[in-house]
Amino acid sequence: MSLPGLLSFHYILMLSVLTGAADGYYTYRWTQCIYSSPDLSDMVFIEGFYFNKYPYVKFNSTVGKFVGFTEFGVKTAENFNKDQSLLQQMKAQVDVFCRPNAEITEAAVYNKTVQPKVKLSSVTPGDKTHPALVMCSVYDFYPEPIKVSWLQDGVVVTSDVTNTEELPNGDWLYQIHSELEYTPKAGQKISCVVEHASFSKPMIYDWDPPVPEFEFNIQLLFTIETAGLVLGILIAAAGFLYYKIRSAGL
Ligand SMILES: *[C@@H]1O[C@H](CO)[C@@H](O)[C@H](O)[C@H]1NC(C)=O
């Protein structure tokens, strides 16, 4: 799997000297390992020395020596650069510090995948005059790159598809939603296709549309009929009772 863009990890060492309640000086060292190649071949080690927020000396492993920025920084860099063993040690950080740590991070995080949970749902059922809208929701996957598409009777649908972006949950996992507008037809087969690094092949999820409206109406019709029948029996019974009472009283 290739890496998403530029990666770097940092180690920050901070020292602050307070001289009063409100002001203070703030000095820190910021160590970075920067790379974008999956085999870590382009690894660069950077170490910056900062006073308040300004860098005054920086070591860059590609340059191979310290570079100073202020008058004090230039002097410091000159002194540091005289020390051959320090320079060797700094240059070696690419191999002794950056690459081993990057390998651990890669193995622990970047090479991991989490399979999504896929759910198909009806947004609008549709009828003879209105198209139906179905949603394919893909939850909790990692990493971010994913492809969600639709098949209608085995053919890839290119129009009437609306996708959201890959949305971060905030817990390293992502979700994405895709909507397809279609005209319901008898016997048609609609499926949502999800392609992701966590799967060895594209996964196909078939859409099982909700029960069409007319069947629901038939049920409703039966209910009305039954209610009518019960009402009829009640009225008949009441009439019969009324008749009995009247004839008994006379
Ligand atoms: C390190 O030095 C190289 C060569 O000068 C340069 O291309 C690169 O941008 C530097 N990296 C940083 C983070 O300053």
Side-chain angles (χ1 to χ4, degrees):
M1 200 209 107
S2 73
L3 289 165
L6 191 79
L7 294 169
S8 75
F9 50 90
H10 331 282
Y11 287 84
I12 303 176
L13 204 108
M14 288 174 279
L15 286 167
S16 69
V17 184
L18 293 173
T19 56
D23 328 313
Y25 300 110
Y26 191 60
T27 174
Y28 59 98
R29 280 164 71 170
W30 182 13
T31 302
Q32 289 171 275
C33 295
I34 304 173
Y35 66 104
S36 58
S37 161
D39 64 1
L40 318 181
S41 59
D42 61 350
M43 184 67 78
V44 180
F45 170 75
I46 308 281
E47 180 142 9
F49 295 73
Y50 294 75
F51 183 74
N52 288 341
K53 59 182 178 180
Y54 301 106
Y56 60 96
V57 174
K58 262 190 180 180
F59 179 87
N60 177 331
S61 64
T62 312
V63 180
K65 60 179 172 110
F66 290 92
V67 176
F69 299 101
T70 59
E71 196 187 327
F72 173 71
V74 170
K75 278 193 188 135
T76 310
E78 261 171 34
N79 280 333
F80 282 170
N81 287 331
K82 279 181 199 151
D83 189 341
Q84 283 305 318
S85 90
L86 176 64
L87 286 182
Q88 287 311 314
Q89 215 181 305
M90 294 298 279
K91 279 188 255 186
Q93 293 304 303
V94 169
D95 291 318
V96 303
F97 175 70
C98 291
R99 287 203 178 104
N101 277 297
E103 272 163 22
I104 293 166
T105 311
E106 292 278 320
V109 179
Y110 301 120
N111 293 338
K112 290 264 189 290
T113 61
V114 180
Q115 287 188 356
K117 293 169 194 77
V118 180
K119 207 182 123 216
L120 283 154
S121 57
S122 171
V123 181
T124 313
D127 52 34
K128 285 183 204 77
T129 47
H130 300 95
L133 207 53
V134 54
M135 168 111 80
C136 183
S137 298
V138 184
Y139 295 106
D140 302 341
F141 57 88
Y142 184 87
E144 189 180 352
I146 198 159
K147 191 180 165 197
V148 181
S149 53
W150 293 91
L151 285 179
Q152 191 167 335
D153 298 321
V155 180
V156 179
V157 185
T158 47
S159 57
D160 303 322
V161 175
T162 316
N163 284 0
T164 65
E165 304 271 293
E166 290 85 350
L167 308 161
N169 286 356
D171 60 357
W172 288 72
L173 306 177
Y174 293 85
Q175 57 177 284
I176 190 167
H177 304 268
S178 179
E179 267 184 1
L180 170 74
E181 201 180 278
Y182 69 100
T183 312
K185 282 184 208 104
Q188 83 188 145
K189 195 180 163 193
I190 287 169
S191 319
C192 174
V193 185
V194 180
E195 289 165 78
H196 188 250
S198 62
F199 296 135
S200 55
K201 59 179 170 58
M203 297 298 281
I204 299 169
Y205 303 87
D206 292 333
W207 172 224
D208 190 13
V211 180
E213 204 113 330
F214 76 92
E215 278 184 34
F216 173 75
N217 280 350
I218 283 173
Q219 269 201 332
L220 194 70
L221 219 65
F222 274 123
T223 313
I224 292 166
E225 261 187 358
T226 311
L229 192 66
V230 170
L231 200 68
I233 291 168
L234 282 175
I235 290 167
F240 184 67
L241 264 176
Y242 182 66
Y243 167 73
K244 275 291 207 188
I245 291 164
R246 282 288 299 260
S247 53
L250 281 171

